[in-house]
Amino acid sequence: MQTLREVLKHAQQVGKAVGHFNISDLTLLKAVVEAGRELSVPVIVGASEGERSFMGVRQVAALVQSIRDEFGLPIFLNADHTHTLASAEEVARAGFDSIVFDLSALPFEENVRRTREAVIALKSIHPSMLVEGEIGDIGTGSEIKDAMPDLSKSLTTPEEARQFVAETGIDILAPAVGSMHGMSRSMVQGASKQHLNIERIAAIKESAKVPLTLHGGSGTDDDDFRRAIAAGIAIVHINTELRVAWRQGLQGSLAAHPDEVVPYKLLPPVVASVKEVVESRLKLFNGVALQAGAAHV
Ligand code: G3H
Ligand code: ZN
C-alpha cells in the first residue's frame, strides 16, 4: 500500500490530482469509497472539526482503517480545517494520514509561528502524518450562499508561499487562488461557475515547491480544474457539491417512499446521489481518458 506522500508524488508526476471529499456520515463515506473503488483511484476522505464532532475522531479513523484493511484500497483520512493544537494532537494520536492546520484567519507572522510549532508537535506524535498549512482568505462554510464574496484581491503571493513553506516546514500548502468555500444559489442551479487564477497557481507552485491543495472546489468550471491541475494542484477539496447531492437524494427518497421507516431502505438513493458527483469529479481529476477499473496507483 502506497503512503499518501507517495500517492501525491505520483499524481504530480503524471499530471493528476487526488480528490478529497468531506464526509459527516456513513452514506457519504460509502459513496466516496464505492466511487474510488470502481474507478481504481486513490481518494482522501476529509473530516473537519464539525464533521469529526458528529462522527467521533477515533470512530471515523477506525472506519477508514477498516476499509483500507479489508479491501486494500488507497483511501486516506484527512483532518480538515483544524484550528487548535489540542484538536490537531487528538487526530495525530488517532492516526489520521494528514491534517489541514488552518490558522489562515490570523496575521501572517502569527500563522507562521504557530504553524511551525504545530508541525514540530504533530510530527513528534505521528511522524508520517502530512501537515498542510493555509494562507490567504478562501471564505468559510461549505454551504449554499446568497452571493459569493469577491476574494480576488487577497490571493496568496508567490513570495508569501515561499516564506510560509520555508519557515513552517509544512508538507502541503493551501493557497488562496480564486476559489472559496461554499456555492452560490446560481452555482447550485448550474447557472454560473467558479473560476481560478491559473497563472497564480503556477507561480505559487514554482516558489513553494510542495504539493498544493485547492480548497473550495465546489462549483468550479471543469476546464479551470484541468488547467489548475496542470499548473500544480495536487489535491482538490469538494464538500458543498456532496452536501447538495446528499440532501437532494434524501428528499427524493423520502418523497418516493412516504411510509418507509427502514433506514437501510431509504438511504441507498442518498449514497447513489452523492456517488454520482464523486465519480464525475474523480474522472475529471484523474484525466478524461480514465476507464473504470483501470489501475492508477
Ligand atoms: O475543505 C473543504 C473544502 O475546501 C470544500 O469546499 O465546499 O466549496 O467544495 P467546497
Ligand atoms: Zn477547505
Side-chain angles (χ1 to χ4, degrees), residues 20 22 48 51 78 80-81 100 134 138 141-143 148 180-183 194 213-219 236-243:
H20 172 292
N22 289 75
S48 66
E51 289 159 340
N78 175 54
D80 207 11
H81 296 292
V100 178
E134 183 166 330
I138 50 174
S142 289
E143 297 162 338
M148 301 299 273
M180 53 200 84
H181 288 109
M183 296 172 81
Q194 172 169 269
T213 295
L214 178 74
H215 282 259
S218 291
V236 181
H237 280 223
I238 302 281
N239 193 357
T240 312
E241 288 182 0
L242 270 51
R243 290 177 170 184

Side-chain angles (χ1 to χ4, degrees), residues 21-260:
F21 303 96
N22 289 75
I23 65 160
S24 45
D25 75 2
L26 197 57
T27 61
L28 288 146
L29 177 61
K30 280 172 74 72
V32 176
V33 169
E34 286 179 17
R37 190 177 184 190
E38 284 171 23
L39 294 168
S40 293
V41 296
V43 290
I44 303 172
V45 167
S48 66
E49 287 181 320
E51 289 159 340
R52 300 199 297 270
S53 75
F54 183 69
M55 287 184 291
V57 169
R58 291 174 60 191
Q59 288 67 32
V60 69
L63 274 171
V64 171
Q65 186 65 49
S66 71
I67 291 163
R68 192 146 61 183
D69 292 346
E70 183 170 353
F71 303 111
L73 297 179
I75 170 173
F76 302 95
L77 180 59
N78 175 54
D80 207 11
H81 296 292
T82 300
H83 303 290
T84 68
L85 186 55
S87 175
E89 288 178 339
E90 186 183 12
V91 300
R93 284 192 291 271
F96 280 48
D97 299 289
S98 60
I99 181 169
V100 178
F101 191 68
D102 178 7
L103 298 185
S104 59
L106 296 179
F108 184 80
E109 293 303 336
E110 193 177 351
N111 187 1
V112 168
R113 181 176 58 77
R114 289 174 53 183
T115 300
R116 178 175 53 228
E117 288 169 4
V119 169
I120 294 166
L122 296 173
K123 300 275 182 183
S124 75
I125 297 171
H126 182 356
S128 65
M129 184 169 79
L130 302 183
V131 181
E132 176 176 323
E134 183 166 330
I135 43 176
D137 185 3
I138 50 174
T140 56
S142 289
E143 297 162 338
I144 299 172
K145 299 171 181 183
D146 290 329
M148 301 299 273
D150 179 11
L151 302 177
S152 60
K153 301 272 184 297
S154 53
L155 299 187
T156 301
T157 67
E159 173 52 24
E160 283 170 339
R162 186 205 61 73
Q163 186 188 345
F164 193 71
V165 172
E167 295 186 8
T168 58
I170 54 170
D171 304 291
I172 302 167
L173 176 67
V177 290
S179 61
M180 53 200 84
H181 288 109
M183 296 172 81
S184 65
R185 291 186 197 288
S186 121
M187 283 180 190
V188 172
Q189 288 155 4
S192 67
K193 296 287 179 191
Q194 172 169 269
H195 291 283
L196 308 170
N197 190 319
I198 308 299
E199 294 70 28
R200 186 62 64 94
I201 292 169
I204 291 171
K205 176 65 184 170
E206 176 72 23
S207 63
K209 301 192 191 317
V210 293
L212 301 181
T213 295
L214 178 74
H215 282 259
S218 291
T220 301
D221 177 73
D222 283 4
D223 202 47
D224 279 36
F225 266 140
R226 289 188 194 97
R227 296 195 299 138
I229 293 165
I233 292 294
I235 301 171
V236 181
H237 280 223
I238 302 281
N239 193 357
T240 312
E241 288 182 0
L242 270 51
R243 290 177 170 184
V244 169
W246 179 92
R247 185 182 173 102
Q248 289 172 345
L250 186 57
Q251 279 177 324
S253 186
L254 291 172
H257 308 285
D259 296 320
E260 186 58 77

